[in-house]
Amino acid sequence: MLNQSRAAALALIAPLMLATLSGAASADNSATGVSQPREDPYYPDKGDPRIDALHYGLELNWNRASRTLAGTATIRVRATRDVQRVQLDLGAPLTVGTVHLDGTLVPAHHTGKDLRIMTGPLQGNSRHTLRITYAGTPQPVRAPVSRPDFSRVGWTTTPSGDVWTMQQPFGAFTWYPVNDHPSDKASYDVTISAPGDSVGVFNGKLLDRRSEAGRTVTRWHLGSPSASYLTTIAIGNYSRYRDSGPHGLPISYWVEPRDRDLLPLLRKTPSMISWLEARLGRYPFQRIGAVVVPSQSAMETQTLVTMGRALGRSRLLFVNDLLHEYVHQWYGDSVTPNNWKDLWLNESFAMYVQIRYEVSQGTATMSHWRRTLQDYDQFLRREYGPPGEFDRADFASTNVYFCGAYMLDELRAKIGNRLFAKVLRTWPAQHRNQNVDRGDWIRWLNEVTHRNLRPFVTAWLTSERTPRT
């Protein structure tokens, strides 16, 4: 995710930069969507480890005039243990109609964001189908952040009745019933019905687009299991522009007429993916692209990154952050942390690779970036906490980006360029479609390097002061 707190930090270090800048891993769930959900150490009120969502089938009908959403969610689930009831997250402004379990009407209670479904006894590892109807006026919710680029997450309606969303660390629950936690990945089939010529955009492959009774209906399929925070939806006057990447990779840019000037920047995508594949290995999904929305931020939503229109005020910022979100397809989307305390597993790597990209493009030098990371590491630790023990009210602040990137550059110096390049490339390839935590990464790192790097990594992630190298 783009961090405008990072942008604010960049403003602090402008004099330095302007010279060069104008837990255990789950089994591979790629086929089944099977995950091992867990309770989050930072945000335990989101998600329920007793339930594992395997697939979401969503039928969404948006009424622009009344700002209301009518939805039907058909969710294939697995009980992770013997249970008497299960719980999903669903925004308080939405009203539940009926809930069926395997075709039978069952009672449910919706209090706040908690949708408690009285299933009766379910055996551990048993599979079931929930069908939930709901409707209402979706509203975004406050995010646990102190960043200037956003303060709320989830379904956002513009004054004209268009829709967009970003939802890290949570927010999917503002528009559909969901186990809203990164440890639970699932596949998706989504149908969006929007008024007039408005087009509903979602992750994955567009299967069908048709006009029906004065409405535009789009059908989408996301076959690669995704964490809920990595889903996206946008409804507006979108046109699709196609491109082709390495080995015929399908690329789509979804842009409204007022944002067509961003197309030349978006069309850097094929060269970006080629550059990334040379360093991170084969792109892990079957398609890629971007949707531009009226936001000041950006998000690594799976297979279709969400780019804020406001970033286009600086062409360099837009390009660098587009690259950053593409890095996340390897680090964060394919390989996803199973808890938010390990957000650094996403952002540290994406920031470090972004730095290397900037250097390769001649818009920065590594010496200046290293000086930046060194000069601000202590300040960021003091302000927001260590990257692996950040203040939970300061989610995704600059520390998980800069301090983690500094750690990775020190790791490179410690183990050498060749071995570090192997680490960077091999981790996502060997953990594709998995959920992981820092223990998994440290154990794997020790195996690959044949060294005990646990003290080194632990110090960099948890120390309140910059570790001595």
Side-chain angles (χ1 to χ4, degrees), residues 429-447:
Q430 292 187 356
H431 298 81
R432 184 175 180 181
N433 293 318
Q434 293 184 16
N435 287 94
V436 296
D437 60 25
R438 73 186 62 183
D440 298 318
W441 190 73
I442 293 172
R443 284 188 293 272
W444 177 85
L445 182 66
N446 287 346
E447 291 174 2

Side-chain angles (χ1 to χ4, degrees), residues 62-68 160-161 195:
W62 175 239
N63 187 316
R64 181 195 288 122
S66 63
R67 306 297 200 266
T68 55
S160 65

Side-chain angles (χ1 to χ4, degrees), residues 26 29 32-39 46-56 75-78 80 87-89 176 178-188 225-231 336-339 433-435:
S26 67
N29 63 6
T32 64
V34 171
S35 307
Q36 303 300 327
R38 58 173 290 178
E39 183 173 289
K46 306 298 189 298
D48 182 357
R50 294 171 298 185
I51 189 172
D52 171 20
L54 307 175
H55 178 80
Y56 292 92
I75 312 171
R76 294 203 304 268
V77 301
R78 179 180 68 90
T80 62
Q87 181 172 306
L88 293 170
D89 303 302
Y176 65 97
V178 58
N179 199 28
D180 207 355
H181 192 264
S183 62
D184 190 357
K185 292 186 177 185
S187 56
Y188 286 78
S226 172
S228 55
Y229 81 97
L230 295 170
T231 59
T336 308
N338 63 22
N339 72 99
N433 293 318
Q434 293 184 16
N435 287 94

Side-chain angles (χ1 to χ4, degrees), residues 55 65 72 99 173 185 242 248 287 300 331 343 345 348 357 360 372 374 376 378 432 453:
H55 178 80
T72 299
V99 179
F173 75 91
K185 292 186 177 185
R242 302 184 192 223
R287 61 198 68 251
E300 62 268 23
Y331 282 92
L343 175 64
L345 280 166
S348 300
Y357 178 78
S360 75
T372 299
Q374 293 165 5
Y376 279 86
Q378 185 56 60
R432 184 175 180 181
L453 292 167

